[in-house]
Amino acid sequence: MSPFLAEFIGTGILLLLGNGVVANVILQQTKGHGAGWITISLGWGVSVFVAVFIVANYSGAHINPAVTLGLALAGTFDWSLVPLYLTAQFLGGALGAFLVYLFYWNHFQVTEDTDINRAVFCTAPAIRNNASNFLSEMIATFVLVFAVLYLVEPEIGLGSLDALPVGIIVLAIGLTLGGTTGYAINPARDLSPRIVHALVPLKHKGGSDWRYAWIPVLGPIAGGLLAGWIFLLIGK
């Protein structure tokens, strides 16, 4: 499997399962309706585990532009491959979000709250404050990328045996730092599904909240680059 295809498939699976648990918990008349934040956090952690386990041996399983950029700045990933990886990640994120839309179509139809329907696709802050929301995303992503940097091997990146530790890191972030913005911590996890939300027909749709959309993109990128820079300074 080529690295491009691996990142495409891995990010697609991540979004299919991750946004899938959100849909299962918050949409009306699902079997998991109302299961709560712990279920969502567990679901995202397991989603990362599954995605990383499948594609790690082919691409290093970045499945996140912030991880790719952080690793490149830290010197553990070739900058020339960054555009290829980012393209695959954003396309995979769009595919995963679209599959969730198809999978939960009937439940979107009976959910009248447009904010809840949009929340299946992308994040929104609990309290809207651009500065603190940006800081939340930056810090949470810093933790993710900094931890990943201490797992990766210089030549191959993450391997399949690293899938569980990475999933636990994401679970920890969700349970502890996820309450402010919903912890996008991944530009492809938020921007691609937000675009899908803007394009697909929904009975109860509403807007895609583009005035907030820059925060879950630039906040994670800033956090990933900061992690890479600090790692570069202090070493492994």
Side-chain angles (χ1 to χ4, degrees), residues 11-229:
T11 312
I13 289 172
L14 172 67
L15 269 293
L16 170 62
L17 300 180
N19 282 9
V21 72
V22 176
N24 190 27
V25 170
I26 69 175
L27 293 180
Q28 293 295 316
Q29 298 183 33
T30 66
K31 297 291 187 178
H33 179 71
W37 186 253
I38 292 177
T39 299
I40 290 175
S41 296
L42 282 169
W44 269 105
V46 174
S47 300
V48 170
F49 165 77
V50 173
V52 171
F53 186 84
I54 291 172
V55 304
N57 290 335
Y58 304 101
S59 68
H62 296 189
I63 59 175
N64 182 341
V67 171
T68 298
L69 291 168
L71 267 59
L73 185 59
T76 63
F77 185 68
D78 189 342
W79 276 105
S80 68
L81 295 175
V82 168
L84 180 78
Y85 270 55
L86 266 57
T87 301
Q89 291 156 3
F90 280 110
L91 290 175
L95 174 64
F98 183 70
L99 291 175
V100 172
Y101 163 76
L102 294 179
F103 195 96
Y104 280 98
W105 166 257
N106 291 325
H107 300 277
F108 280 114
Q109 294 295 97
V110 298
T111 303
E112 297 182 358
D113 189 322
T114 58
D115 289 342
I116 287 185
N117 282 331
R118 185 181 65 245
V120 173
F121 294 87
C122 52
T123 62
I127 298 175
R128 195 172 291 261
N129 180 303
N130 285 350
S132 63
N133 299 155
F134 182 92
L135 188 64
S136 292
E137 287 292 337
M138 184 178 73
I139 292 172
T141 311
F142 171 86
V143 173
L144 170 64
V145 177
F146 198 62
V148 165
L149 281 163
Y150 282 91
L151 286 172
V152 299
E153 295 297 330
E155 297 301 322
I156 63 171
L158 291 173
S160 59
L161 294 179
D162 299 313
L164 183 57
V166 176
I168 291 173
I169 293 165
V170 173
L171 170 60
I173 291 170
L175 292 175
T176 61
L177 303 177
T180 56
T181 61
Y183 72 117
I185 61 174
N186 182 342
R189 175 264 176 272
D190 198 276
L191 180 59
S192 295
R194 197 180 297 269
I195 293 172
V196 171
H197 175 267
L199 294 176
V200 297
L202 279 173
K203 184 177 180 181
H204 308 287
K205 185 168 184 172
S208 300
D209 196 13
W210 289 109
R211 65 194 177 101
Y212 179 75
W214 65 275
I215 290 175
V217 174
L218 297 185
I221 289 174
L225 290 173
L226 180 63
W229 179 65

